[in-house]
Amino acid sequence: MSRRTITRRDFLKAASVTPLAGALVPALKGLQAAQTDKVKVVLIRDPSALDASGSPDPAVVFRMLDEAVCAISGRTDALTGWKTLIRPEDIVGIKTNAWGKLPTTSAVEQALRRRVLDAGVPDDKVGIDDRGVLRNPVFQNATALLNARPARTHHWSGMGSCLKNYIQFVPRPSDYHPDTCADLGEIWTKTIVKGKTRLNVLVMFTPLFHGIGPSHFSKAYTWPYNGLIVSRDPVAADATGLRVLEAKRREHFKEDRPLQPTPHHIFLADTRHHVGVSSPDRIELVKLGWTDGALI
Amino acid sequence: MADQNENRARIMGSYIPRTAGPWLSEADQVYDAETIFGYIDGAGEVYRSYNMKLLVSRSFHKDGKPGLVADIFDMGTSADAFGVFTHDLDGEDAGIGQGSNYKAGLLSFWKDRYFGSVYAEEETEETKAAVLELGREIASAIPGEGPKPVLLAFLPAEGLETGRVCFFHNYSVLNYHFFVADKDILLLDQSADVVLAPYVRGEGKSYLLLVRYPDEAGAARALESFLRVYMPDASPSGTVRTEDGKWTAVLRKRDILAVAFNEPSEIFVRDQLKAAGSLIDEKGRGTH
């Protein structure tokens, strides 16, 4: 196996995601964090997650989310697991993503809502919203957030990620567009969301692994992965989803074709904004269900 | 301004047919550089980075068939229309407008100051034919043609992959095509014109980057920044052999900076910059 030479271009890329100083080689070694704490990420897949028409099956999705929460919470009973995330006195905002070409899906939204209600939260204390979160009283007063969105490549940020899903929590989302959305992680330190997110669900039913045209979408570049990536850590969820997208791109294009622009907001959320971990070394990946074509 | 946009939108709308075979059109949606995010999310930054002025989008529907969408962007200049077209050059040449490509249900083309995109929600033989026909009709309706960016004239011909040349303004787009550094070490902004050209000469691919700054002082500052960050170990002639054994060199000619990346030998990198420098001297005066 050949070993690719590390060039100054690699160094100038690495320099933005880790506080480097000094010579090239020690700096690159520094990318591998010394920390040993691992965060749990669940990848759950089911061949029957999508029905014959390609729509998510609500019952299957409900079960997949329950199994993921059991794995994350360490509980064998799903509702008990949900109750470790949501308290009856919580006000819960379910942050979805309504982009028409590849939405979070009603199946995921309603499964989350159902489990919030089951955990004892009154109906009027649960809200589902995307672009209206700043005007929505439930989100304005939320004590807990559930964050759910589909995984896709993105024209400007590299990847439409769990991290990026919170861009609607700032009055001017375009303020976070510079340097291809490098500082999306900063949004997660703002009072309206800080410390409130109990679960992140990166929907991987039919991820978009390559984008074209103004809308950056073509069904030709989606595939039935039939999965969900679930974690309490948005950065770890995104970093794991990114591995799947890049593996799919390698498989499809038959060459290593990294996402462009580089989704460096995921790594900077770790190294610059400290809202989660991005290195696979610090992620405990729990794979449940269907394993064919898992890619990671 | 609102009246101006309304008038422009009406003219742009007149370039798009009302029907496409059995598909019927819906009401036009109009966006400017501020409102474009309501249509295409953060991807609007790509079009804003090319100084987009106005977008007219028209959808077409027919029961039982995938939808079609025709978008026309007024980019203000033909250089920027060409530039945004070069942002994604994958696909087969469709022979439409002044440059076009088609792939997976999407036709992209440019003509004069306009960039056009016609998209089918699902690619079938029928939608492909409809997309191409819509594109042909739109391109035919746009009167006149526009020139490509002046910088293209300074690219040496030998080994140039002519169909893969990109034009843009800022470093995020540079990094999209060819990663240089996460910081803007070439001091690019909307006032800079940039051409990135791939070459195949000898083994592997090399790149020639040409940047025209608003003035010579700007080019001089960028040269100093690039030398300091990217090639502090450069020879006095502005040449360096990088860690992978390839050669990079930089040259300033008045308000233009030329950088040759990834050349296979010192001779190649020097020849490349010498050739670009000669073309700038020969064709560049009075073109700014």
Side-chain angles (χ1 to χ4, degrees):
Chain A
M1 182 192 291
S2 65
R3 299 182 65 181
R4 194 173 73 85
T5 305
I6 296 170
T7 69
R8 62 198 63 206
R9 291 170 63 216
D10 297 316
F11 175 67
L12 288 167
K13 187 176 288 186
S16 73
V17 296
T18 189
L20 298 180
L24 172 61
V25 173
L28 289 173
K29 282 183 178 170
L31 284 170
Q32 294 159 359
Q35 292 94 326
T36 53
D37 295 345
K38 290 197 173 191
V39 302
K40 196 176 280 186
V41 172
V42 175
L43 166 61
I44 182 164
R45 298 174 66 231
D46 191 314
S48 58
L50 302 177
D51 65 22
S53 70
S55 300
D57 182 321
V60 177
V61 172
F62 188 86
R63 180 166 42 77
M64 290 168 73
L65 275 170
D66 269 1
E67 287 182 34
V69 166
C70 285
I72 282 171
S73 63
R75 308 300 165 96
T76 52
D77 173 64
L79 184 54
T80 308
W82 280 101
K83 285 180 175 173
T84 67
L85 303 175
I86 301 293
R87 300 181 305 260
E89 61 271 28
D90 274 327
I91 301 170
V92 184
I94 298 171
K95 176 61 179 71
T96 188
N97 192 292
W99 194 57
K101 298 181 192 308
L102 197 62
T104 298
T105 73
S106 168
V108 172
E109 292 169 355
Q110 293 308 317
L112 292 171
R113 182 175 174 279
R114 178 71 259 156
R115 277 321 201 182
V116 171
L117 297 175
D118 291 344
V121 177
D123 188 57
D124 64 343
K125 296 287 191 287
V126 188
I128 301 173
D129 210 332
D130 179 8
R131 297 193 169 204
V133 289
L134 288 179
R135 298 180 301 276
N136 187 320
V138 169
F139 284 81
Q140 288 167 340
N141 299 304
T143 58
L145 295 168
L146 302 178
N147 179 29
R149 67 148 303 144
R152 61 181 173 103
T153 59
H154 192 276
H155 223 138
W156 197 248
S157 64
M159 178 178 167
S161 57
C162 287
L163 285 160
K164 189 175 184 302
N165 208 34
Y166 275 14
I167 200 166
Q168 300 299 339
F169 282 106
V170 294
R172 278 176 49 96
S174 59
D175 288 349
Y176 284 84
H177 289 169
D179 194 11
T180 56
C181 301
D183 290 309
L184 289 171
E186 184 186 87
I187 296 170
W188 287 66
T189 66
K190 295 193 176 299
T191 305
I192 192 167
V193 297
K194 186 177 180 182
K196 294 181 181 177
T197 304
R198 307 289 170 79
L199 201 65
N200 299 279
V201 181
L202 190 60
V203 178
M204 306 282 292
F205 294 146
T206 56
L208 178 73
F209 65 91
H210 182 62
I212 56 172
S215 58
H216 194 79
F217 181 82
S218 168
K219 270 187 185 172
Y221 298 113
T222 64
W223 86 107
Y225 189 69
N226 293 31
L228 296 170
I229 289 176
V230 184
S231 179
R232 301 196 65 166
D233 181 328
V235 186
D238 289 343
T240 305
L242 175 60
R243 287 174 58 204
V244 176
L245 294 185
E246 296 209 311
K248 181 62 183 176
R249 288 167 67 83
R250 277 192 296 275
E251 179 185 86
H252 179 86
F253 294 116
K254 298 180 173 52
E255 63 179 12
D256 195 14
R257 200 187 285 197
L259 291 181
Q260 293 295 354
T262 309
H264 58 174
H265 71 269
I266 297 172
F267 311 106
L268 291 170
D270 175 352
T271 58
R272 184 183 289 172
H273 300 293
H274 314 293
V275 296
V277 303
S278 58
S279 169
D281 296 343
R282 295 179 58 198
I283 295 170
E284 178 191 353
L285 179 59
V286 179
K287 292 196 268 189
L288 302 175
W290 192 38
T291 56
D292 289 358
L295 297 172
I296 59 170
Chain B
M1 181 60 93
D3 285 350
Q4 251 181 0
N5 278 355
E6 214 169 283
N7 196 37
R8 290 285 328 144
R10 193 176 46 75
I11 293 169
M12 291 164 67
S14 73
Y15 301 152
I16 311 175
R18 287 283 162 202
T19 57
W23 281 269
L24 301 176
S25 61
E26 299 168 15
D28 288 352
Q29 305 291 314
V30 180
Y31 304 89
D32 62 20
E34 294 304 316
T35 59
I36 191 173
F37 299 122
Y39 180 52
I40 48 179
D41 194 11
E45 288 292 2
V46 174
Y47 299 90
R48 283 161 55 99
S49 79
Y50 286 96
N51 303 309
M52 169 225 164
K53 307 296 183 214
L54 208 62
L55 159 63
V56 173
S57 177
R58 185 175 296 171
S59 296
F60 295 80
H61 69 272
K62 169 70 184 166
D63 287 350
K65 295 184 187 298
L68 309 177
V69 181
D71 295 327
I72 300 184
F73 293 77
D74 178 354
M75 304 305 297
T77 66
S78 59
D80 278 328
F82 169 79
V84 78
F85 170 72
T86 64
H87 192 70
D88 181 0
L89 289 166
D90 288 342
E92 60 191 68
D93 184 356
I96 290 172
Q98 290 183 256
S100 62
N101 59 49
Y102 175 86
K103 59 181 170 295
L106 174 73
L107 169 73
S108 302
F109 67 92
W110 74 282
K111 188 177 180 192
D112 195 13
R113 59 193 279 173
Y114 302 104
F115 169 72
S117 158
V118 186
Y119 167 74
E121 285 177 354
E122 196 169 323
E123 186 185 34
T124 64
E125 282 302 312
E126 187 181 22
T127 60
K128 179 177 179 179
V131 161
L132 293 173
E133 183 53 30
L134 257 178
R136 273 190 285 271
E137 289 189 41
I138 294 168
S140 299
I142 296 171
E145 296 194 343
K148 288 182 179 177
V150 171
L151 281 178
L152 270 68
F154 309 148
L155 295 172
E158 187 185 345
L160 174 63
E161 290 193 277
T162 49
R164 308 295 300 178
V165 176
C166 304
F167 174 77
F168 48 90
H169 301 287
N170 72 42
Y171 84 100
S172 294
V173 181
L174 168 61
N175 282 345
Y176 179 86
H177 295 294
F178 179 78
F179 183 86
V180 174
D182 252 356
K183 299 283 181 254
D184 182 17
I185 63 175
L186 284 160
L187 311 184
L188 305 178
D189 61 27
Q190 294 308 103
S191 67
D193 285 347
V194 190
V195 161
L196 177 71
Y199 283 80
V200 178
R201 304 185 314 154
E203 288 181 12
K205 185 175 278 193
S206 58
Y207 291 86
L208 179 61
L209 184 77
L210 300 180
V211 186
R212 176 164 246 168
Y213 294 89
D215 51 38
E216 292 194 26
R221 282 193 297 275
L223 174 63
E224 186 279 326
S225 167
F226 185 73
L227 283 169
R228 176 168 43 81
V229 179
Y230 195 88
M231 41 196 300
D233 47 348
S235 69
S237 65
T239 302
V240 71
R241 188 173 198 186
T242 54
E243 294 73 20
D244 53 1
K246 304 284 182 62
W247 291 81
T248 291
V250 61
L251 169 78
R252 180 171 77 86
K253 282 276 184 181
R254 299 188 300 277
D255 57 350
I256 296 177
L257 208 62
V259 189
F261 290 100
N262 287 5
E263 289 287 355
S265 74
E266 188 172 17
I267 294 171
F268 269 70
V269 81
R270 284 186 177 161
D271 284 354
Q272 183 74 323
L273 284 191
K274 190 177 168 189
S278 298
L279 288 166
I280 293 168
D281 284 338
E282 182 189 330
K283 301 180 176 180
R285 289 196 185 278
T287 58
H288 204 162

